[in-house]
Amino acid sequence: MQTITLTAAGGTDPGLRREVNEDRFHVDVARGLFLLIDGIGGQAAGGKAADVALTMLRTRLERETGPTADRVREAITIANNEIHRVASLRPEWTGMACVLTVALVREHIATIGHVGDTRLYKLRDDGIEKVTRDHSPVGEREDSDEISEIEAMRHPRRNEVYRDVGAEPHAPADPDFIDLLEIPFEPDAALLLCSDGLTDLVESATINHVVTELAGRPDEVVNALIDAANDAGGKDNVTVVYVEGELFAASRARSRVASAAARETSRGFGSARRPAALDVQASDAPSREGLTTSQWVVRSALVALLAITITAALIRWGPSWPVPAPVVVEPLGSASSTSGVAIVRPTESIAEALARAQPGSQVVVEPGEYRERLVLKDGVRVVSRVPRGAAIRLPGTASEADPAVVATGVSNAEFVGFRIIGDAATPLGTGVLVKGSNVSIVDVEITGALTVAIDLDEMADGGVTGSHIHDNPGPALTIRSGASPRIAHNVFARNGLSERARASLIIEGDAEPLIVGNVFQGITPRVFQALGDAARLSIMRENWFPNSPVSRATTSAPRRGRQGR
């Protein structure tokens, strides 16, 4: 049972020197599940390995059975062995693998599973602590204090790893494979998972400073750290997942005020010490907040100056009464005031925000439950700020024939991170209906749909990615004739439960879907017969059917040496 209220965010960027992003991440606050994966193998191979790992990890860890530590070991092992199997299917995938870090937070404990040189840091009080150890020769020397952090960052062999996920088969208990750790996670603590695209370029002290300045605003922490890596050269993909407890921001705010007061006192005694500054290379390149790096530093300085003023006033005029908790000042350029972004809160209407939205804009929805139907619009991205944190149910005035979300004749629309729920109190017929549209449905969970969870009709394009479609009385998915969506890296489980459901998944003739990297529980490859033998065989190779012989296929072909990262 989750006893700490968490806030979290994640982000990834290809960097300035890579055309392909082989990093993947996943943030699930409700389950306390946080994943970060860095692909190895170059081009399609590394990304494919990371995609397989993400799917397999979510499949096992979202099934909350067994002790937490055993679940983490099993999940990483399943991912390892599936990557190893898939690598044998195509010559260009030979040698693909990944490195990864998993964090599962439950009841004031964070269970960490780790392989490779991605990292997890814990931040508490004023400090930052590296929890995981790098499975690399250079990382070992850094962890043993043989070389400094700066020396390790500059070492020419920095990116060599001697452990990975996927290069060879493993069992969960194999020695020298998974590092499994359990650490306390207090309400005033935070966790940071990151790829080496950040830690090769940004020191831990700078990471700590950025988090201190932006504590309480996870999205801004993630964006600032990615910007810092790119400002420092952006030589690799950079990915960050940040998680904080409900008291962390207040703790860091007190630290900021205390530090500011100490600096002010030092200045009063003639000290020449300078306040800490963000340690990134100077740049006037715009950040994701629309601010340059130099503007970001100036903004931080203004916040610190305000803290100094408040503290000085309290010291001068109020020594006899308790000092109140410091005021946390919202920074300039916050999301609520950014042009082209509409913030929707639980007391407000997503549909009304959509009606006002213009092409190219974004509707960001805060966690909560929303009783309404949504009609997507051209070029508008609708996203739950916390993945799966915003839930949609049909209003009481809707009928079972009404879809919860509909797109008709729409292009370049996105629907990201929501839950769509139907139950006895609020029946749901169709979760999402797409007709003649190009719509990307990403990281969506749908349950309780009586007719169908997702109906892709009449030349539907776009696709469904990274979603969890489960426990629906109707089919999980209907792909109509002429539709050509991309169905990738989803989990389909326990669908078609009603006696009136023809099947758990329906594909009509003349449909041309691309179906890769999915987990089909309770679905056999026979449902894809309408696509023809060649397409069905391809789907059998490119997807996972638990407990089916196709998923247990192995190869004895010799493997070539691993490619570099």
Side-chain angles (χ1 to χ4, degrees), residues 455-504:
D455 191 341
L456 304 176
D457 194 5
E458 295 179 8
M459 297 298 292
D461 204 347
V464 182
T465 305
S467 295
H468 189 193
I469 314 300
H470 66 98
D471 296 291
N472 290 285
L477 191 64
T478 297
I479 303 177
R480 308 286 182 179
S481 295
S484 55
R486 184 176 189 268
I487 311 298
H489 310 297
N490 306 285
V491 176
F492 299 94
R494 299 179 301 280
N495 298 292
L497 302 175
S498 170
E499 292 183 358
R500 70 179 188 179
R502 287 193 290 140
S504 54

Coordinates of all heavy atoms in Angstrom, one line a residue, residues 455-504:
D455 N -11.5 1.6 -31.1 CA -12.0 1.3 -32.4 C -11.4 2.2 -33.4 O -11.5 3.4 -33.4 CB -13.5 1.5 -32.4 CG -14.3 1.0 -33.6 OD1 -13.6 0.7 -34.6 OD2 -15.5 0.8 -33.5
L456 N -10.6 1.5 -34.3 CA -9.9 2.3 -35.4 C -10.6 2.0 -36.7 O -10.5 0.9 -37.2 CB -8.4 1.8 -35.4 CG -7.6 1.9 -34.1 CD1 -6.2 1.4 -34.2 CD2 -7.6 3.4 -33.6
D457 N -11.2 3.1 -37.2 CA -12.1 2.9 -38.3 C -11.8 3.8 -39.5 O -11.2 4.9 -39.3 CB -13.5 3.2 -37.8 CG -14.6 2.7 -38.8 OD1 -14.3 2.1 -39.8 OD2 -15.8 3.0 -38.5
E458 N -12.1 3.4 -40.7 CA -12.1 4.2 -41.9 C -10.8 4.9 -42.1 O -10.6 6.1 -41.9 CB -13.3 5.3 -41.8 CG -14.6 4.7 -41.9 CD -15.7 5.7 -41.8 OE1 -15.4 6.9 -41.9 OE2 -16.9 5.3 -41.7
M459 N -9.8 4.2 -42.6 CA -8.5 4.8 -42.9 C -7.8 5.4 -41.7 O -7.1 6.4 -41.8 CB -8.6 5.8 -44.0 CG -9.1 5.2 -45.3 SD -8.0 4.0 -46.0 CE -6.6 4.9 -46.4
A460 N -8.1 4.9 -40.5 CA -7.4 5.4 -39.3 C -5.9 5.2 -39.5 O -5.4 4.2 -39.9 CB -7.9 4.7 -38.1
D461 N -5.2 6.3 -39.1 CA -3.7 6.3 -39.2 C -3.2 6.7 -37.8 O -4.0 6.9 -36.9 CB -3.2 7.2 -40.3 CG -1.9 6.9 -40.8 OD1 -1.2 6.0 -40.2 OD2 -1.4 7.4 -41.8
G462 N -1.9 6.8 -37.7 CA -1.4 7.1 -36.4 C -1.1 5.8 -35.7 O -0.6 4.9 -36.3
G463 N -1.5 5.7 -34.4 CA -1.3 4.4 -33.7 C -1.6 4.4 -32.3 O -1.9 5.4 -31.7
V464 N -1.3 3.3 -31.6 CA -1.5 3.0 -30.2 C -0.1 2.5 -29.7 O 0.4 1.5 -30.1 CB -2.6 2.0 -29.9 CG1 -2.8 1.9 -28.4 CG2 -3.9 2.4 -30.6
T465 N 0.5 3.3 -28.7 CA 1.8 2.9 -28.3 C 1.9 3.0 -26.7 O 1.3 3.8 -26.1 CB 2.8 4.0 -28.8 OG1 2.7 4.0 -30.2 CG2 4.2 3.6 -28.4
G466 N 2.6 2.0 -26.2 CA 2.9 2.0 -24.7 C 1.6 2.0 -23.8 O 1.7 2.5 -22.7
S467 N 0.5 1.4 -24.3 CA -0.7 1.5 -23.5 C -1.0 0.1 -22.9 O -0.5 -0.9 -23.2 CB -1.9 1.9 -24.4 OG -1.7 3.2 -24.9
H468 N -1.9 0.2 -21.9 CA -2.3 -1.0 -21.2 C -3.9 -1.2 -21.3 O -4.6 -0.4 -20.7 CB -1.9 -0.9 -19.7 CG -2.1 -2.2 -18.9 ND1 -2.1 -2.2 -17.5 CD2 -2.4 -3.5 -19.3 CE1 -2.3 -3.5 -17.1 NE2 -2.4 -4.2 -18.2
I469 N -4.3 -2.1 -22.1 CA -5.7 -2.3 -22.4 C -6.1 -3.6 -21.7 O -5.7 -4.7 -22.1 CB -6.0 -2.4 -23.9 CG1 -5.2 -1.3 -24.6 CG2 -7.5 -2.4 -24.2 CD1 -5.6 0.1 -24.2
H470 N -6.9 -3.6 -20.7 CA -7.1 -4.8 -19.9 C -8.5 -4.8 -19.2 O -9.1 -3.8 -19.0 CB -6.0 -4.9 -18.8 CG -6.1 -3.8 -17.7 ND1 -6.8 -3.9 -16.5 CD2 -5.7 -2.5 -17.7 CE1 -6.7 -2.8 -15.8 NE2 -6.0 -1.9 -16.5
D471 N -9.0 -6.0 -18.9 CA -10.2 -6.2 -18.2 C -11.4 -5.5 -18.8 O -12.2 -4.8 -18.2 CB -10.0 -5.8 -16.7 CG -9.0 -6.7 -16.0 OD1 -9.3 -7.9 -15.8 OD2 -7.9 -6.2 -15.7
N472 N -11.5 -5.6 -20.1 CA -12.6 -5.1 -20.9 C -13.6 -6.2 -21.3 O -13.2 -7.2 -21.9 CB -12.1 -4.3 -22.1 CG -11.4 -3.1 -21.8 OD1 -12.0 -2.1 -21.4 ND2 -10.1 -3.1 -21.9
P473 N -14.9 -6.0 -21.0 CA -15.9 -7.0 -21.5 C -15.9 -7.2 -23.0 O -16.1 -8.3 -23.5 CB -17.2 -6.5 -21.0 CG -16.9 -5.6 -19.8 CD -15.5 -5.0 -20.1
G474 N -15.7 -6.1 -23.7 CA -15.6 -6.1 -25.2 C -14.2 -6.3 -25.6 O -13.2 -6.5 -24.8
P475 N -13.9 -6.4 -26.9 CA -12.6 -6.6 -27.5 C -11.7 -5.4 -27.0 O -12.1 -4.3 -26.8 CB -12.8 -6.6 -29.0 CG -14.2 -6.9 -29.2 CD -14.9 -6.3 -28.0
A476 N -10.4 -5.7 -27.0 CA -9.4 -4.7 -26.7 C -9.3 -3.7 -27.9 O -9.1 -2.5 -27.7 CB -8.0 -5.3 -26.4
L477 N -9.4 -4.2 -29.1 CA -9.1 -3.4 -30.2 C -9.9 -4.0 -31.4 O -10.0 -5.2 -31.6 CB -7.6 -3.6 -30.5 CG -6.9 -2.7 -31.5 CD1 -6.9 -1.2 -31.1 CD2 -5.4 -3.1 -31.7
T478 N -10.4 -3.1 -32.2 CA -11.0 -3.4 -33.5 C -10.3 -2.5 -34.5 O -10.3 -1.3 -34.4 CB -12.5 -3.1 -33.5 OG1 -13.2 -4.0 -32.5 CG2 -13.1 -3.4 -34.9
I479 N -9.7 -3.2 -35.5 CA -9.1 -2.5 -36.6 C -9.9 -2.8 -37.9 O -9.9 -3.9 -38.4 CB -7.6 -3.0 -36.8 CG1 -6.8 -2.8 -35.5 CG2 -6.9 -2.2 -37.9 CD1 -5.4 -3.3 -35.5
R480 N -10.5 -1.7 -38.4 CA -11.5 -1.9 -39.5 C -10.8 -2.0 -40.8 O -9.6 -1.6 -41.0 CB -12.4 -0.7 -39.5 CG -13.1 -0.4 -38.2 CD -14.2 -1.4 -37.9 NE -14.9 -1.1 -36.6 CZ -15.9 -1.8 -36.1 NH1 -16.3 -2.9 -36.8 NH2 -16.5 -1.5 -35.0
S481 N -11.5 -2.4 -41.8 CA -10.9 -2.5 -43.2 C -10.4 -1.1 -43.6 O -11.1 -0.1 -43.4 CB -12.0 -3.0 -44.2 OG -12.4 -4.3 -43.9
G482 N -9.2 -1.1 -44.2 CA -8.7 0.1 -44.7 C -7.8 0.9 -43.7 O -7.2 1.8 -44.0
A483 N -7.9 0.5 -42.4 CA -7.1 1.2 -41.4 C -5.7 0.7 -41.4 O -5.4 -0.5 -41.6 CB -7.7 1.0 -40.0
S484 N -4.7 1.6 -41.1 CA -3.3 1.2 -41.2 C -2.6 1.8 -40.0 O -1.6 2.5 -40.1 CB -2.7 1.7 -42.5 OG -2.9 3.1 -42.6
P485 N -3.0 1.5 -38.7 CA -2.3 2.1 -37.6 C -1.1 1.3 -37.2 O -0.9 0.1 -37.6 CB -3.4 1.9 -36.5 CG -4.1 0.7 -36.9 CD -4.1 0.6 -38.4
R486 N -0.2 1.9 -36.4 CA 0.9 1.3 -35.7 C 0.5 0.9 -34.3 O 0.2 1.8 -33.5 CB 2.1 2.2 -35.7 CG 3.4 1.6 -35.2 CD 4.6 2.5 -35.4 NE 5.9 1.9 -35.0 CZ 6.4 1.9 -33.8 NH1 5.8 2.5 -32.8 NH2 7.6 1.3 -33.6
I487 N 0.6 -0.4 -34.0 CA 0.2 -0.9 -32.7 C 1.5 -1.4 -32.1 O 2.0 -2.5 -32.5 CB -0.8 -2.0 -32.8 CG1 -2.0 -1.6 -33.7 CG2 -1.3 -2.4 -31.4 CD1 -2.7 -0.4 -33.2
A488 N 2.1 -0.7 -31.2 CA 3.5 -1.0 -30.7 C 3.7 -0.9 -29.2 O 3.2 0.1 -28.6 CB 4.5 0.0 -31.4
H489 N 4.3 -1.9 -28.7 CA 4.7 -2.0 -27.3 C 3.6 -1.7 -26.3 O 3.7 -1.0 -25.3 CB 5.9 -1.0 -27.1 CG 6.9 -1.1 -28.1 ND1 7.7 -2.3 -28.2 CD2 7.3 -0.3 -29.1 CE1 8.5 -2.1 -29.2 NE2 8.3 -1.0 -29.8
N490 N 2.5 -2.3 -26.5 CA 1.3 -2.3 -25.6 C 1.2 -3.6 -24.9 O 1.7 -4.6 -25.3 CB 0.0 -2.0 -26.4 CG 0.1 -0.8 -27.3 OD1 0.1 0.3 -26.8 ND2 0.3 -1.0 -28.6
V491 N 0.4 -3.6 -23.8 CA 0.0 -4.8 -23.1 C -1.5 -5.0 -23.3 O -2.3 -4.1 -22.9 CB 0.4 -4.8 -21.7 CG1 -0.1 -6.1 -20.9 CG2 1.9 -4.7 -21.5
F492 N -1.9 -6.1 -23.8 CA -3.4 -6.5 -23.9 C -3.6 -7.7 -23.0 O -3.0 -8.8 -23.3 CB -3.7 -6.8 -25.4 CG -3.5 -5.7 -26.3 CD1 -2.3 -5.6 -27.0 CD2 -4.5 -4.7 -26.5 CE1 -2.1 -4.5 -27.9 CE2 -4.2 -3.6 -27.4 CZ -3.0 -3.5 -28.1
A493 N -4.5 -7.5 -22.0 CA -4.7 -8.6 -21.1 C -6.2 -8.7 -20.7 O -6.8 -7.6 -20.3 CB -3.8 -8.4 -19.8
R494 N -6.7 -9.9 -20.6 CA -8.1 -10.1 -20.1 C -9.1 -9.3 -20.8 O -9.9 -8.5 -20.1 CB -8.1 -10.0 -18.6 CG -7.2 -10.9 -17.9 CD -7.2 -10.7 -16.4 NE -6.8 -9.3 -16.0 CZ -5.6 -8.9 -16.0 NH1 -4.6 -9.7 -16.2 NH2 -5.3 -7.6 -15.6
N495 N -9.2 -9.3 -22.1 CA -10.2 -8.6 -22.8 C -11.2 -9.6 -23.5 O -10.9 -10.8 -23.6 CB -9.5 -7.7 -23.9 CG -8.6 -6.7 -23.3 OD1 -9.1 -5.7 -22.6 ND2 -7.3 -6.8 -23.4
G496 N -12.3 -9.1 -24.0 CA -13.3 -9.9 -24.6 C -14.0 -10.9 -23.6 O -14.3 -12.0 -23.8
L497 N -14.2 -10.3 -22.3 CA -14.7 -11.2 -21.2 C -16.2 -11.4 -21.3 O -16.7 -12.4 -20.8 CB -14.4 -10.5 -19.9 CG -12.9 -10.2 -19.6 CD1 -12.7 -9.4 -18.3 CD2 -12.1 -11.5 -19.6
S498 N -16.9 -10.6 -22.1 CA -18.3 -10.8 -22.2 C -18.7 -11.9 -23.1 O -18.0 -12.1 -24.1 CB -19.0 -9.5 -22.7 OG -20.3 -9.6 -23.0
E499 N -19.8 -12.6 -22.9 CA -20.2 -13.6 -23.8 C -20.6 -13.1 -25.2 O -20.6 -13.8 -26.2 CB -21.4 -14.4 -23.2 CG -21.1 -15.2 -21.9 CD -22.3 -15.9 -21.4 OE1 -23.4 -15.8 -22.0 OE2 -22.2 -16.6 -20.4
R500 N -21.0 -11.8 -25.2 CA -21.4 -11.3 -26.5 C -20.2 -10.8 -27.3 O -20.3 -10.4 -28.5 CB -22.4 -10.1 -26.3 CG -21.7 -8.9 -25.7 CD -22.8 -7.7 -25.6 NE -22.1 -6.5 -25.2 CZ -22.8 -5.4 -25.0 NH1 -24.1 -5.3 -25.2 NH2 -22.2 -4.2 -24.7
A501 N -19.0 -10.8 -26.8 CA -17.8 -10.4 -27.5 C -17.4 -11.5 -28.5 O -17.2 -12.7 -28.1 CB -16.7 -10.1 -26.6
R502 N -17.2 -11.2 -29.7 CA -16.8 -12.1 -30.8 C -15.4 -12.7 -30.5 O -15.1 -13.8 -30.8 CB -16.9 -11.5 -32.2 CG -18.3 -11.3 -32.7 CD -18.2 -11.0 -34.2 NE -17.6 -9.7 -34.5 CZ -16.8 -9.5 -35.5 NH1 -16.4 -10.5 -36.2 NH2 -16.3 -8.3 -35.7
A503 N -14.5 -11.8 -30.0 CA -13.1 -12.1 -29.8 C -12.5 -11.1 -28.9 O -13.1 -10.0 -28.7 CB -12.4 -12.2 -31.1
S504 N -11.3 -11.3 -28.4 CA -10.7 -10.3 -27.6 C -10.0 -9.3 -28.4 O -9.6 -8.2 -27.9 CB -9.7 -11.0 -26.6 OG -8.8 -11.8 -27.4

